[in-house]
Amino acid sequence: MKVTKDLVAASATPMVLGILAEGESYGYAILRRINDLSGGELDWTEGLLYPLLHRLERLGHVESSWQSPAGERRRKYYRITATGLAELAEQRRQWDTVVDALKKVWLGPGDLRMLRPLEGGA
């Protein structure tokens, strides 16, 4: 089961900002981290990531610089800014609200009504 495009799009900004809050990184490493974090369920492409990174850079949430680590090819590294950290905090607040509401719906009385027919072996 892959995550729908709508959920991928909605979670893209907080996901990338959260990864960059761990430390600076470059595109391919960000894609690998997303894949690892999701157990392969979030299958992002460069076509999704790079426009997002460029938008975050235009908004001042990330900065970039070209670096050539010893023995490796030149790569563009991205790092989160103070503005990006503030945006990440706001995104997290919003996602906490959504997740809390979903948990209440899924774990509330409505969820139990949906499970009862399955329990009886119908």
Side-chain angles (χ1 to χ4, degrees), residues 47-101:
L48 172 73
L49 178 62
Y50 288 106
L52 173 60
L53 285 169
H54 297 151
R55 183 175 62 81
L56 293 173
E57 194 166 19
R58 278 193 311 276
L59 293 170
H61 298 325
V62 302
E63 297 173 335
S64 65
S65 63
W66 288 96
Q67 299 177 28
S68 299
E72 296 183 23
R73 67 183 184 91
R74 190 171 177 240
R75 294 185 176 117
K76 192 172 192 178
Y77 279 76
Y78 297 88
R79 68 191 150 281
I80 197 166
T81 64
T83 304
L85 288 170
E87 178 62 20
L88 176 58
E90 174 58 19
Q91 292 271 330
R92 183 171 181 173
R93 186 196 63 75
Q94 291 180 30
W95 272 98
D96 284 344
T97 300
V98 170
V99 169
D100 288 347

Side-chain angles (χ1 to χ4, degrees), residues 26-40:
Y26 57 95
Y28 181 70
I30 294 169
L31 290 173
R32 276 197 339 250
R33 180 80 172 118
I34 290 165
N35 190 275
D36 291 346
L37 287 169
S38 70

